[in-house]
Amino acid sequence: MTQEPPFQVQIVPVTPFQQNCSIIRAANGDAAVIDPGGEVDRIEEAAKAMDATIKKIWLTHGHLDHASGAMELKRRTGAPIEGAHEEEVFWLSQIAEQSKRFGIGNEGENVVPDRWLDDGDTVEIGGVVFDVYFTPGHTPGHVIFHQKDARLAFVGDVLFKGSIGRTDFPRGDHATLIRSITEKLWPLGNDTRFVPGHGPLSTFGEERRSNAFVADHVLAGG
Ligand SMILES: [Zn+2]
Ligand SMILES: [Zn+2]
């Protein structure tokens, strides 16, 4: 018997980078927002339309398109910011400067999380528990969130449908990213669906078959 997961997900693409900000609404109406990169008004409107109350803010990593709106959303809702991993202070503390450099306005604000996350930690919204995995490579303190019963993961900029995260930024590392994907993501199972930081959803199995960078036959050198 298939059971519906006890939560709903709505994706709200935000910023000129079309970042997949996700709102997770538990059955009791409590909601977590993953990666509020900006356009906080739109995020709040989307939550309202779902009859959801924002209680948690979760960050996969500290790039401006993922974290720029976190402090503003926290001020408006009182929700604590959880994530990313402590190493991510490198990016979280230069969001304001990066926003100016990329010319997306003065919206970007440095983030001070209420809680750092690490491998083996869990985060919770309305009784729904997500496992946290530390997945560096794209950035030094990147984490992902996985909901076991729903077989659903929110992977930020680690993996995309058909592609992988960039590693040409300061403190990016290609080999580390590949290890994060093969050692942390793949073990979650081929039928696990994932919401990437940008673009359409996919499954880990589909990427193991067809991804130009991390398909099994590509990594095997075939
Ligand atoms: Zn990124
Ligand atoms: Zn991104």
Side-chain angles (χ1 to χ4, degrees):
M1 173 180 121
T2 327
Q3 211 181 345
E4 285 298 309
F7 62 89
Q8 298 165 250
V9 178
Q10 182 163 351
I11 296 171
V12 185
V14 294
T15 81
F17 301 92
Q18 291 292 291
Q19 196 275 123
N20 287 331
C21 171
S22 299
I23 302 171
I24 298 166
R25 182 198 189 277
N28 71 353
D30 289 357
V33 176
I34 299 182
D35 289 355
E39 302 184 60
V40 175
D41 288 343
R42 282 186 56 217
I43 296 169
E44 279 200 299
E45 278 161 25
K48 204 174 166 191
M50 295 169 81
D51 194 22
T53 308
I54 297 169
K55 295 277 184 77
K56 299 277 175 71
I57 299 166
W58 299 339
L59 298 181
T60 62
H61 68 298
H63 278 157
L64 72 158
D65 52 325
H66 295 255
S68 285
M71 296 300 272
E72 175 64 19
L73 189 60
K74 176 185 169 173
R75 270 194 299 276
R76 295 188 190 186
T77 62
I81 300 170
E82 302 182 315
H85 183 281
E86 195 165 6
E87 288 288 335
E88 202 67 0
V89 71
F90 175 75
W91 285 109
L92 291 168
S93 61
Q94 55 171 315
I95 291 173
E97 184 196 326
Q98 293 282 327
S99 300
K100 277 183 210 133
R101 184 179 306 174
F102 284 94
I104 64 164
N106 296 320
E107 196 179 355
E109 189 178 348
N110 291 348
V111 175
V112 181
D114 295 281
R115 177 188 173 198
W116 296 115
L117 297 174
D118 201 351
D119 244 5
D121 284 343
T122 59
V123 289
E124 177 270 334
I125 188 68
V128 184
V129 175
F130 288 72
D131 296 316
V132 174
Y133 293 87
F134 178 41
T135 53
H138 172 67
T139 63
H142 200 299
V143 299
I144 66 137
F145 303 99
H146 176 243
Q147 215 293 321
K148 223 179 285 176
D149 302 317
R151 309 191 73 74
L152 180 66
F154 295 83
V155 305
D157 288 352
V158 171
L159 179 71
F160 306 107
K161 181 179 175 62
S163 188
I164 59 173
R166 288 174 60 174
T167 52
D168 57 334
F169 299 115
R171 297 202 59 193
D173 187 82
H174 181 77
T176 303
L177 179 67
I178 300 298
R179 268 201 308 280
S180 289
I181 292 169
T182 57
E183 293 175 10
K184 302 286 177 69
L185 269 50
W186 289 174
L188 300 177
N190 284 346
D191 60 342
T192 298
R193 293 178 79 207
F194 68 94
V195 179
H198 308 263
L201 278 58
S202 182
T203 65
F204 292 149
E206 177 56 31
E207 299 313 305
R208 292 188 70 165
R209 272 189 300 279
S210 66
N211 190 294
F213 301 89
V214 286
D216 291 352
H217 70 272
V218 173
L219 294 179

mmCIF file of all heavy atoms in Angstrom, residues 59-64 66-67 83-95 111 113 116-117 134-143 170-171:
data_model
loop_
_atom_site.group_PDB
_atom_site.id
_atom_site.type_symbol
_atom_site.label_atom_id
_atom_site.label_comp_id
_atom_site.label_asym_id
_atom_site.label_seq_id
_atom_site.Cartn_x
_atom_site.Cartn_y
_atom_site.Cartn_z
ATOM 1 N N LEU A 59 18.884 25.886 5.440
ATOM 2 C CA LEU A 59 19.789 26.296 4.357
ATOM 3 C C LEU A 59 20.689 25.136 3.936
ATOM 4 O O LEU A 59 21.333 24.511 4.785
ATOM 5 C CB LEU A 59 20.672 27.462 4.811
ATOM 6 C CG LEU A 59 19.958 28.766 5.199
ATOM 7 C CD1 LEU A 59 20.992 29.820 5.599
ATOM 8 C CD2 LEU A 59 19.071 29.276 4.073
ATOM 9 N N THR A 60 20.750 24.893 2.618
ATOM 10 C CA THR A 60 21.678 23.882 2.110
ATOM 11 C C THR A 60 23.100 24.436 2.053
ATOM 12 O O THR A 60 24.061 23.733 2.331
ATOM 13 C CB THR A 60 21.296 23.386 0.700
ATOM 14 O OG1 THR A 60 21.349 24.491 -0.227
ATOM 15 C CG2 THR A 60 19.912 22.763 0.685
ATOM 16 N N HIS A 61 23.203 25.718 1.649
ATOM 17 C CA HIS A 61 24.523 26.350 1.591
ATOM 18 C C HIS A 61 24.365 27.865 1.512
ATOM 19 O O HIS A 61 23.251 28.379 1.487
ATOM 20 C CB HIS A 61 25.375 25.777 0.455
ATOM 21 C CG HIS A 61 24.905 26.081 -0.941
ATOM 22 N ND1 HIS A 61 23.688 25.668 -1.442
ATOM 23 C CD2 HIS A 61 25.512 26.754 -1.958
ATOM 24 C CE1 HIS A 61 23.567 26.049 -2.695
ATOM 25 N NE2 HIS A 61 24.656 26.725 -3.040
ATOM 26 N N GLY A 62 25.510 28.563 1.487
ATOM 27 C CA GLY A 62 25.488 30.005 1.703
ATOM 28 C C GLY A 62 25.585 30.872 0.463
ATOM 29 O O GLY A 62 25.820 32.072 0.591
ATOM 30 N N HIS A 63 25.376 30.318 -0.729
ATOM 31 C CA HIS A 63 25.398 31.174 -1.911
ATOM 32 C C HIS A 63 24.202 32.118 -1.898
ATOM 33 O O HIS A 63 23.132 31.787 -1.396
ATOM 34 C CB HIS A 63 25.406 30.338 -3.191
ATOM 35 C CG HIS A 63 26.777 29.859 -3.554
ATOM 36 N ND1 HIS A 63 27.002 28.765 -4.343
ATOM 37 C CD2 HIS A 63 27.990 30.349 -3.220
ATOM 38 C CE1 HIS A 63 28.316 28.594 -4.496
ATOM 39 N NE2 HIS A 63 28.933 29.536 -3.814
ATOM 40 N N LEU A 64 24.413 33.307 -2.489
ATOM 41 C CA LEU A 64 23.410 34.363 -2.350
ATOM 42 C C LEU A 64 22.039 33.966 -2.852
ATOM 43 O O LEU A 64 21.030 34.370 -2.278
ATOM 44 C CB LEU A 64 23.901 35.657 -3.017
ATOM 45 C CG LEU A 64 23.947 35.737 -4.535
ATOM 46 C CD1 LEU A 64 23.934 37.197 -4.956
ATOM 47 C CD2 LEU A 64 25.182 35.072 -5.088
ATOM 48 N N HIS A 66 20.593 31.252 -2.579
ATOM 49 C CA HIS A 66 19.960 30.305 -1.665
ATOM 50 C C HIS A 66 19.677 30.902 -0.287
ATOM 51 O O HIS A 66 18.753 30.463 0.400
ATOM 52 C CB HIS A 66 20.848 29.069 -1.493
ATOM 53 C CG HIS A 66 20.991 28.289 -2.750
ATOM 54 N ND1 HIS A 66 20.350 27.095 -2.979
ATOM 55 C CD2 HIS A 66 21.674 28.565 -3.901
ATOM 56 C CE1 HIS A 66 20.637 26.654 -4.195
ATOM 57 N NE2 HIS A 66 21.435 27.527 -4.768
ATOM 58 N N ALA A 67 20.492 31.882 0.106
ATOM 59 C CA ALA A 67 20.429 32.321 1.508
ATOM 60 C C ALA A 67 20.162 33.809 1.704
ATOM 61 O O ALA A 67 19.980 34.250 2.842
ATOM 62 C CB ALA A 67 21.743 31.940 2.204
ATOM 63 N N GLY A 83 21.228 25.269 9.589
ATOM 64 C CA GLY A 83 22.102 24.974 8.459
ATOM 65 C C GLY A 83 22.748 26.257 7.969
ATOM 66 O O GLY A 83 22.346 27.346 8.372
ATOM 67 N N ALA A 84 23.730 26.128 7.156
ATOM 68 C CA ALA A 84 24.251 24.842 6.699
ATOM 69 C C ALA A 84 25.257 24.288 7.738
ATOM 70 O O ALA A 84 25.075 24.474 8.934
ATOM 71 C CB ALA A 84 24.931 25.034 5.341
ATOM 72 N N HIS A 85 26.321 23.621 7.270
ATOM 73 C CA HIS A 85 27.421 23.167 8.127
ATOM 74 C C HIS A 85 28.302 24.368 8.475
ATOM 75 O O HIS A 85 28.383 25.331 7.710
ATOM 76 C CB HIS A 85 28.231 22.121 7.350
ATOM 77 C CG HIS A 85 29.361 21.505 8.110
ATOM 78 N ND1 HIS A 85 30.573 22.139 8.299
ATOM 79 C CD2 HIS A 85 29.468 20.306 8.712
ATOM 80 C CE1 HIS A 85 31.363 21.349 8.992
ATOM 81 N NE2 HIS A 85 30.729 20.229 9.257
ATOM 82 N N GLU A 86 28.939 24.299 9.631
ATOM 83 C CA GLU A 86 29.732 25.425 10.139
ATOM 84 C C GLU A 86 30.770 25.960 9.151
ATOM 85 O O GLU A 86 31.079 27.162 9.153
ATOM 86 C CB GLU A 86 30.421 24.996 11.441
ATOM 87 C CG GLU A 86 30.951 26.185 12.227
ATOM 88 C CD GLU A 86 31.305 25.819 13.660
ATOM 89 O OE1 GLU A 86 31.249 24.613 14.003
ATOM 90 O OE2 GLU A 86 31.635 26.739 14.423
ATOM 91 N N GLU A 87 31.309 25.088 8.284
ATOM 92 C CA GLU A 87 32.296 25.538 7.291
ATOM 93 C C GLU A 87 31.709 26.590 6.347
ATOM 94 O O GLU A 87 32.436 27.327 5.681
ATOM 95 C CB GLU A 87 32.788 24.350 6.451
ATOM 96 C CG GLU A 87 33.697 23.380 7.171
ATOM 97 C CD GLU A 87 35.087 23.957 7.414
ATOM 98 O OE1 GLU A 87 35.494 24.856 6.655
ATOM 99 O OE2 GLU A 87 35.741 23.525 8.369
ATOM 100 N N GLU A 88 30.373 26.649 6.290
ATOM 101 C CA GLU A 88 29.723 27.535 5.334
ATOM 102 C C GLU A 88 29.759 28.997 5.761
ATOM 103 O O GLU A 88 29.358 29.889 5.001
ATOM 104 C CB GLU A 88 28.285 27.073 5.093
ATOM 105 C CG GLU A 88 27.690 27.551 3.796
ATOM 106 C CD GLU A 88 28.349 26.964 2.547
ATOM 107 O OE1 GLU A 88 29.294 26.160 2.688
ATOM 108 O OE2 GLU A 88 27.924 27.318 1.438
ATOM 109 N N VAL A 89 30.281 29.260 6.941
ATOM 110 C CA VAL A 89 30.446 30.647 7.378
ATOM 111 C C VAL A 89 31.247 31.424 6.328
ATOM 112 O O VAL A 89 31.084 32.628 6.161
ATOM 113 C CB VAL A 89 31.109 30.715 8.779
ATOM 114 C CG1 VAL A 89 32.569 30.329 8.731
ATOM 115 C CG2 VAL A 89 30.934 32.102 9.383
ATOM 116 N N PHE A 90 32.085 30.718 5.581
ATOM 117 C CA PHE A 90 32.876 31.323 4.506
ATOM 118 C C PHE A 90 31.983 32.086 3.524
ATOM 119 O O PHE A 90 32.279 33.215 3.131
ATOM 120 C CB PHE A 90 33.661 30.224 3.769
ATOM 121 C CG PHE A 90 34.420 30.704 2.561
ATOM 122 C CD1 PHE A 90 35.599 31.420 2.705
ATOM 123 C CD2 PHE A 90 33.954 30.442 1.278
ATOM 124 C CE1 PHE A 90 36.302 31.877 1.591
ATOM 125 C CE2 PHE A 90 34.651 30.883 0.158
ATOM 126 C CZ PHE A 90 35.822 31.607 0.315
ATOM 127 N N TRP A 91 30.864 31.473 3.104
ATOM 128 C CA TRP A 91 29.955 32.121 2.144
ATOM 129 C C TRP A 91 28.877 32.938 2.839
ATOM 130 O O TRP A 91 28.493 34.000 2.355
ATOM 131 C CB TRP A 91 29.300 31.069 1.236
ATOM 132 C CG TRP A 91 30.229 30.519 0.192
ATOM 133 C CD1 TRP A 91 30.761 29.267 0.147
ATOM 134 C CD2 TRP A 91 30.750 31.205 -0.948
ATOM 135 N NE1 TRP A 91 31.576 29.130 -0.949
ATOM 136 C CE2 TRP A 91 31.586 30.308 -1.638
ATOM 137 C CE3 TRP A 91 30.593 32.499 -1.459
ATOM 138 C CZ2 TRP A 91 32.264 30.647 -2.818
ATOM 139 C CZ3 TRP A 91 31.262 32.848 -2.630
ATOM 140 C CH2 TRP A 91 32.087 31.928 -3.289
ATOM 141 N N LEU A 92 28.384 32.448 3.954
ATOM 142 C CA LEU A 92 27.286 33.146 4.637
ATOM 143 C C LEU A 92 27.684 34.543 5.089
ATOM 144 O O LEU A 92 26.842 35.428 5.208
ATOM 145 C CB LEU A 92 26.801 32.323 5.848
ATOM 146 C CG LEU A 92 26.084 31.022 5.486
ATOM 147 C CD1 LEU A 92 25.921 30.142 6.728
ATOM 148 C CD2 LEU A 92 24.717 31.303 4.862
ATOM 149 N N SER A 93 28.995 34.729 5.302
ATOM 150 C CA SER A 93 29.462 36.024 5.791
ATOM 151 C C SER A 93 29.866 36.962 4.657
ATOM 152 O O SER A 93 30.335 38.066 4.913
ATOM 153 C CB SER A 93 30.642 35.820 6.753
ATOM 154 O OG SER A 93 31.706 35.196 6.069
ATOM 155 N N GLN A 94 29.684 36.554 3.407
ATOM 156 C CA GLN A 94 29.989 37.475 2.305
ATOM 157 C C GLN A 94 28.827 37.617 1.318
ATOM 158 O O GLN A 94 29.019 38.015 0.168
ATOM 159 C CB GLN A 94 31.286 37.078 1.600
ATOM 160 C CG GLN A 94 31.353 35.658 1.095
ATOM 161 C CD GLN A 94 32.577 35.423 0.210
ATOM 162 O OE1 GLN A 94 32.901 36.221 -0.654
ATOM 163 N NE2 GLN A 94 33.262 34.313 0.447
ATOM 164 N N ILE A 95 27.611 37.323 1.787
ATOM 165 C CA ILE A 95 26.436 37.442 0.910
ATOM 166 C C ILE A 95 26.199 38.896 0.488
ATOM 167 O O ILE A 95 25.946 39.176 -0.689
ATOM 168 C CB ILE A 95 25.178 36.876 1.607
ATOM 169 C CG1 ILE A 95 25.298 35.354 1.733
ATOM 170 C CG2 ILE A 95 23.912 37.244 0.824
ATOM 171 C CD1 ILE A 95 24.210 34.713 2.548
ATOM 172 N N VAL A 111 24.236 36.018 6.701
ATOM 173 C CA VAL A 111 23.395 35.157 7.530
ATOM 174 C C VAL A 111 24.177 34.605 8.725
ATOM 175 O O VAL A 111 25.295 34.119 8.568
ATOM 176 C CB VAL A 111 22.833 33.972 6.706
ATOM 177 C CG1 VAL A 111 22.068 33.005 7.598
ATOM 178 C CG2 VAL A 111 21.952 34.478 5.577
ATOM 179 N N PRO A 113 23.326 31.718 11.211
ATOM 180 C CA PRO A 113 22.345 30.675 11.543
ATOM 181 C C PRO A 113 22.172 30.510 13.058
ATOM 182 O O PRO A 113 23.075 30.829 13.836
ATOM 183 C CB PRO A 113 22.949 29.404 10.943
ATOM 184 C CG PRO A 113 23.960 29.870 9.955
ATOM 185 C CD PRO A 113 24.476 31.174 10.484
ATOM 186 N N TRP A 116 24.069 25.216 13.508
ATOM 187 C CA TRP A 116 24.851 24.569 12.455
ATOM 188 C C TRP A 116 24.431 23.119 12.367
ATOM 189 O O TRP A 116 24.008 22.520 13.361
ATOM 190 C CB TRP A 116 26.349 24.651 12.757
ATOM 191 C CG TRP A 116 26.925 26.027 12.777
ATOM 192 C CD1 TRP A 116 27.452 26.677 13.866
ATOM 193 C CD2 TRP A 116 27.067 26.939 11.670
ATOM 194 N NE1 TRP A 116 27.902 27.926 13.492
ATOM 195 C CE2 TRP A 116 27.667 28.115 12.158
ATOM 196 C CE3 TRP A 116 26.727 26.865 10.318
ATOM 197 C CZ2 TRP A 116 27.954 29.211 11.351
ATOM 198 C CZ3 TRP A 116 27.000 27.954 9.503
ATOM 199 C CH2 TRP A 116 27.610 29.109 10.013
ATOM 200 N N LEU A 117 24.585 22.516 11.188
ATOM 201 C CA LEU A 117 24.189 21.121 10.994
ATOM 202 C C LEU A 117 25.376 20.291 10.549
ATOM 203 O O LEU A 117 26.329 20.813 9.971
ATOM 204 C CB LEU A 117 23.082 21.030 9.936
ATOM 205 C CG LEU A 117 21.771 21.734 10.292
ATOM 206 C CD1 LEU A 117 20.811 21.711 9.109
ATOM 207 C CD2 LEU A 117 21.123 21.098 11.524
ATOM 208 N N PHE A 134 26.168 15.882 5.287
ATOM 209 C CA PHE A 134 27.200 16.865 4.977
ATOM 210 C C PHE A 134 27.769 16.517 3.606
ATOM 211 O O PHE A 134 28.321 15.428 3.416
ATOM 212 C CB PHE A 134 28.274 16.819 6.067
ATOM 213 C CG PHE A 134 29.436 17.746 5.863
ATOM 214 C CD1 PHE A 134 29.259 19.045 5.401
ATOM 215 C CD2 PHE A 134 30.725 17.325 6.179
ATOM 216 C CE1 PHE A 134 30.347 19.905 5.222
ATOM 217 C CE2 PHE A 134 31.814 18.174 6.018
ATOM 218 C CZ PHE A 134 31.619 19.464 5.533
ATOM 219 N N THR A 135 27.620 17.432 2.642
ATOM 220 C CA THR A 135 27.965 17.132 1.243
ATOM 221 C C THR A 135 28.816 18.240 0.627
ATOM 222 O O THR A 135 28.366 18.966 -0.258
ATOM 223 C CB THR A 135 26.671 16.974 0.415
ATOM 224 O OG1 THR A 135 25.852 18.148 0.623
ATOM 225 C CG2 THR A 135 25.903 15.742 0.813
ATOM 226 N N PRO A 136 30.059 18.420 1.100
ATOM 227 C CA PRO A 136 30.907 19.497 0.579
ATOM 228 C C PRO A 136 31.361 19.227 -0.857
ATOM 229 O O PRO A 136 31.173 18.129 -1.377
ATOM 230 C CB PRO A 136 32.103 19.474 1.533
ATOM 231 C CG PRO A 136 32.178 18.059 2.014
ATOM 232 C CD PRO A 136 30.758 17.584 2.089
ATOM 233 N N GLY A 137 31.945 20.257 -1.473
ATOM 234 C CA GLY A 137 32.467 20.126 -2.836
ATOM 235 C C GLY A 137 32.089 21.353 -3.648
ATOM 236 O O GLY A 137 32.945 22.075 -4.144
ATOM 237 N N HIS A 138 30.778 21.602 -3.776
ATOM 238 C CA HIS A 138 30.312 22.845 -4.414
ATOM 239 C C HIS A 138 30.672 24.026 -3.509
ATOM 240 O O HIS A 138 31.170 25.043 -3.972
ATOM 241 C CB HIS A 138 28.807 22.756 -4.645
ATOM 242 C CG HIS A 138 28.157 24.015 -5.126
ATOM 243 N ND1 HIS A 138 28.405 24.556 -6.372
ATOM 244 C CD2 HIS A 138 27.269 24.852 -4.529
ATOM 245 C CE1 HIS A 138 27.691 25.671 -6.515
ATOM 246 N NE2 HIS A 138 27.008 25.871 -5.418
ATOM 247 N N THR A 139 30.412 23.870 -2.238
ATOM 248 C CA THR A 139 30.876 24.808 -1.201
ATOM 249 C C THR A 139 31.375 23.977 -0.022
ATOM 250 O O THR A 139 31.030 22.799 0.091
ATOM 251 C CB THR A 139 29.734 25.744 -0.722
ATOM 252 O OG1 THR A 139 28.705 24.949 -0.112
ATOM 253 C CG2 THR A 139 29.149 26.569 -1.867
ATOM 254 N N PRO A 140 32.169 24.591 0.862
ATOM 255 C CA PRO A 140 32.798 23.783 1.933
ATOM 256 C C PRO A 140 31.831 23.286 3.005
ATOM 257 O O PRO A 140 32.130 22.315 3.688
ATOM 258 C CB PRO A 140 33.837 24.749 2.533
ATOM 259 C CG PRO A 140 33.379 26.119 2.150
ATOM 260 C CD PRO A 140 32.686 25.967 0.830
ATOM 261 N N GLY A 141 30.669 23.949 3.151
ATOM 262 C CA GLY A 141 29.763 23.552 4.235
ATOM 263 C C GLY A 141 28.371 23.173 3.762
ATOM 264 O O GLY A 141 27.389 23.329 4.489
ATOM 265 N N HIS A 142 28.283 22.636 2.558
ATOM 266 C CA HIS A 142 26.981 22.278 1.972
ATOM 267 C C HIS A 142 26.367 21.085 2.705
ATOM 268 O O HIS A 142 27.056 20.132 3.044
ATOM 269 C CB HIS A 142 27.205 21.931 0.496
ATOM 270 C CG HIS A 142 25.973 22.012 -0.361
ATOM 271 N ND1 HIS A 142 24.858 21.231 -0.153
ATOM 272 C CD2 HIS A 142 25.689 22.787 -1.447
ATOM 273 C CE1 HIS A 142 23.943 21.533 -1.082
ATOM 274 N NE2 HIS A 142 24.425 22.470 -1.872
ATOM 275 N N VAL A 143 25.058 21.132 2.934
ATOM 276 C CA VAL A 143 24.329 19.976 3.474
ATOM 277 C C VAL A 143 23.108 19.703 2.596
ATOM 278 O O VAL A 143 22.680 20.571 1.824
ATOM 279 C CB VAL A 143 23.852 20.178 4.933
ATOM 280 C CG1 VAL A 143 25.042 20.400 5.863
ATOM 281 C CG2 VAL A 143 22.845 21.325 5.048
ATOM 282 N N PRO A 170 35.884 29.825 -5.136
ATOM 283 C CA PRO A 170 36.836 29.619 -4.041
ATOM 284 C C PRO A 170 36.308 28.540 -3.080
ATOM 285 O O PRO A 170 35.129 28.531 -2.757
ATOM 286 C CB PRO A 170 36.867 30.980 -3.329
ATOM 287 C CG PRO A 170 36.402 31.971 -4.347
ATOM 288 C CD PRO A 170 35.473 31.237 -5.266
ATOM 289 N N ARG A 171 37.205 27.663 -2.687
ATOM 290 C CA ARG A 171 36.893 26.557 -1.768
ATOM 291 C C ARG A 171 35.954 25.501 -2.353
ATOM 292 O O ARG A 171 35.406 24.676 -1.619
ATOM 293 C CB ARG A 171 36.405 27.071 -0.419
ATOM 294 C CG ARG A 171 37.486 27.901 0.306
ATOM 295 C CD ARG A 171 37.290 27.980 1.787
ATOM 296 N NE ARG A 171 37.292 26.670 2.418
ATOM 297 C CZ ARG A 171 36.896 26.481 3.675
ATOM 298 N NH1 ARG A 171 36.493 27.486 4.418
ATOM 299 N NH2 ARG A 171 36.922 25.272 4.190
#
